[in-house]
C-alpha cells in the first residue's frame, strides 16, 4: 500500500489524536504494518476456527451418527454427548488460558482436534468396509449389482435397506414404503444407512474433536482478538474478524453434506484435518504469545519476523 509522501503519517497522526472514523481508521490499519499483521492473524484465527469443521460437527452431529450406522432415535440422544463435552471442556480453557498461555493452549487444542478428525475419517473407512461386507437380498429394480452389499444398496439414491422377519436384509426401492410389509417386517422403515457394530467409533471421534476444540480453538480466537489491536483500531478490527467468522461459518454449514456426498464422510473429515494442520503451522510461526502483555505493548509483538512458542523476538 503506497500513499504520497507525508499522507501516511498524516492519517496515522490524525487517528491517534482524534480517534478517526470509518475510512480514516481503515486506511491507518492497512498502512500500519503492525496493525495490518495483527488483523491478518485475527481474521485467520476466525477463519481456521470455522474451516476446521466445528459447525459441521455441532450442526450435524446427529446426522453424522446416523451416517455411521446409528439409528435416528439413538443418534439424537448420543449427540447430547457432543454438546456435554463442549460445555465440560470449555472449563479447561478457563483454567489453562493463563496457566499455559494462549499460544501453547491453541497448539495443543489443534493437535487434539486433528486426532479427533483423523479418528472420524478412519472410523468411516472402517464402517464403510464393514457395510461392504454385509450381504443383502435385492428386490425389484434394486436387485443385481445394486444389491452386492449393504453399502452398494444405500449408495444408490433410489434404494434402501429393511429387515424381514427372519432377520435378512432386503435392498428395495424407496418408493415401496406402502408395500414394505410384502418384503420386510410390517411397519418397518426403509433405511438409507447400514447399521454396523463399528458406529461407536464415530461418537468417540466426535467427542475427542470437541475435547480439543472447546478449551482452545473455541474461545481463544475471541480472546486473542481482544488483545492484539491498539485502542484506536480495536472496534473496526474486531468487526472485521467477526465478519470473517460468520462468513466461514455459513460456508462450512452449507457445504458439509455436499462435501460428504462428493468426497465421502471420510474425505470430508480428512479435509478438515488438513485445514487444521495448515492453520496450526501458520500460528506456530506467526502468532505471538499475548499472556502478560499490556494492551499498550501489543503493537511491538507484531514488528518481529517470527514468533515461535515462548519467543516474541
Amino acid at each position: 500500500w503506497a500513499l504520497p509522501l507525508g499522507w501516511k503519517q498524516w492519517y496515522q497522526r490524525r487517528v491517534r489524536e482524534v480517534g478517526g472514523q470509518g475510512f480514516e481508521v481503515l486506511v491507518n490499519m492497512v498502512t500500519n504494518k503492525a496493525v495490518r499483521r495483527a488483523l491478518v492473524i485475527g481474521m485467520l484465527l476466525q477463519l481456521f476456527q470455522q474451516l476446521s469443521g466445528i459447525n459441521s460437527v455441532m450442526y450435524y452431529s446427529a446426522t453424522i451418527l446416523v451416517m455411521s450406522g446409528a439409528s435416528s432415535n439413538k443418534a439424537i440422544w448420543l449427540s447430547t454427548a457432543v454438546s456435554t463435552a463442549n460445555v465440560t471442556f470449555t472449563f479447561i480453557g478457563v483454567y489453562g488460558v493463563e496457566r499455559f498461555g494462549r499460544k501453547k493452549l491453541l497448539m495443543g487444542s489443534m493437535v487434539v482436534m486433528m486426532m479427533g478428525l483423523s479418528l472420524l475419517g478412519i472410523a468411516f473407512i472402517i464402517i464403510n468396509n464393514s457395510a461392504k461386507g454385509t450381504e443383502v437380498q435385492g428386490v425389484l429394480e434394486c436387485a443385481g449389482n445394486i444389491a452386492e452389499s449393504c453399502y452398494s444398496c444405500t449408495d444408490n439414491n433410489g434404494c434402501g435397506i429393511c429387515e424381514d422377519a427372519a432377520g435378512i436384509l432386503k435392498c428395495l426401492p424407496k418408493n415401496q414404503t406402502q408395500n414394505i410389509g410384502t418384503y420386510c417386517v410390517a411397519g418397518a422403515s426403509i433405511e438409507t444407512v447400514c447399521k454396523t457394530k463399528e458406529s461407536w467409533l464415530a461418537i468417540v471421534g466426535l467427542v475427542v474433536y470437541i475435547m480439543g476444540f472447546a478449551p482452545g480453538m473455541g474461545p481463544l480466537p475471541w480472546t486473542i482478538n481482544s488483545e492484539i489491536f491498539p485502542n484506536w483500531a480495536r472496534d473496526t478490527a474486531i468487526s472485521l474478524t467477526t465478519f470473517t467468522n460468520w462468513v466461514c461459518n455459513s460456508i462450512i454449514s452449507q457445504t458439509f453434506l455436499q462435501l460428504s456426498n462428493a468426497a465421502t464422510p471420510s474425505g470430508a473429515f480428512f479435509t478438515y484435518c488438513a485445514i487444521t494442520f495448515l492453520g496450526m503451522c501458520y500460528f506456530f510461526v506467526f502468532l505471538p504469545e499475548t499472556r502478560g502483555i499490556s494492551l499498550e505493548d501489543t503493537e511491538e509483538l507484531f514488528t518481529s519476523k517470527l514468533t515461535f512458542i515462548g519467543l516474541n523476538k
Side-chain angles (χ1 to χ4, degrees):
W1 181 285
L3 289 173
L5 184 64
W7 279 83
K8 175 180 177 180
Q9 290 78 5
W10 179 83
Y11 269 117
Q12 292 176 344
R13 185 175 64 253
R14 175 172 171 77
V15 172
R16 281 186 165 85
E17 289 175 352
V18 301
Q21 294 180 354
F23 182 71
E24 289 179 349
V25 175
L26 287 173
V27 169
N28 199 48
M29 288 172 61
V30 174
T31 56
N32 185 305
K33 181 179 179 181
V35 177
R36 183 173 67 244
R37 181 179 173 190
L39 181 62
V40 170
I41 290 176
M43 294 177 73
L44 287 177
L45 278 166
Q46 300 287 18
L47 180 144
F48 281 109
Q49 182 199 66
Q50 293 300 319
L51 296 190
S52 66
I54 179 55
N55 282 315
S56 295
V57 169
M58 296 306 296
Y59 296 161
Y60 296 103
S61 58
T63 302
I64 292 169
L65 292 171
V66 169
M67 291 163 60
S68 73
S71 65
S72 298
N73 291 335
K74 185 182 293 186
I76 293 174
W77 287 105
L78 287 174
S79 64
T80 61
V82 177
S83 301
T84 301
N86 194 21
V87 173
T88 302
F89 286 92
T90 297
F91 288 104
I92 296 178
V94 174
Y95 169 77
V97 68
E98 292 298 335
R99 180 175 178 82
F100 304 114
R102 282 72 162 147
K103 187 166 184 175
K104 290 182 180 179
L105 185 60
L106 186 72
M107 295 295 103
S109 169
M110 298 181 85
V111 168
V112 178
M113 287 167 63
M114 288 190 294
M115 291 171 58
L117 290 168
S118 298
L119 181 56
L120 279 165
I122 294 169
F124 275 98
I125 291 175
I126 294 172
I127 289 166
N128 287 341
N129 286 337
S130 177
K132 289 177 181 178
T134 304
E135 296 183 357
V136 298
Q137 291 184 0
V139 175
L140 302 175
E141 58 263 38
C142 290
N145 292 335
I146 295 175
E148 286 184 350
S149 68
C150 182
Y151 179 86
S152 62
C153 178
T154 56
D155 195 46
N156 186 290
N157 290 331
C159 300
I161 295 291
C162 66
E163 190 174 317
D164 67 12
I168 298 173
L169 294 179
K170 299 293 183 68
C171 178
L172 71 161
K174 294 178 183 177
N175 59 15
Q176 293 295 315
T177 302
Q178 299 297 326
N179 302 319
I180 195 167
T182 305
Y183 308 102
C184 294
V185 177
S189 59
I190 299 176
E191 303 287 343
T192 56
V193 295
C194 301
K195 291 181 173 60
T196 66
K197 296 179 180 179
E198 294 81 9
S199 59
W200 63 271
L201 289 170
I203 186 65
V204 172
L206 289 173
V207 171
V208 170
Y209 173 76
I210 291 297
M211 285 171 57
F213 179 87
M217 199 57 176
L220 284 178
W222 304 100
T223 301
I224 295 170
N225 271 306
S226 70
E227 298 174 333
I228 60 177
F229 301 111
N231 289 329
W232 58 266
R234 183 170 294 112
D235 291 348
T236 301
I238 290 180
S239 296
L240 290 172
T241 60
T242 302
F243 174 77
T244 303
N245 181 285
W246 282 106
V247 169
C248 294
N249 183 331
S250 178
I251 291 171
I252 285 295
S253 62
Q254 294 186 46
T255 58
F256 171 67
L257 295 179
Q258 291 88 336
L259 180 60
S260 294
N261 290 332
T264 73
S266 293
F269 290 118
F270 284 135
T271 298
Y272 295 148
C273 185
I275 293 172
T276 303
F277 177 75
L278 290 176
M280 186 182 69
C281 292
Y282 179 86
F283 297 134
F284 178 79
V285 176
F286 295 109
L287 177 67
E289 176 57 68
T290 57
R291 179 181 61 168
I293 306 297
S294 66
L295 293 176
E296 293 76 15
D297 297 330
T298 52
E299 273 192 79
E300 297 181 10
L301 296 177
F302 296 95
T303 57
S304 58
K305 293 182 179 180
L306 298 178
T307 53
F308 289 106
I309 287 180
L311 297 175
N312 286 329
K313 295 182 179 181

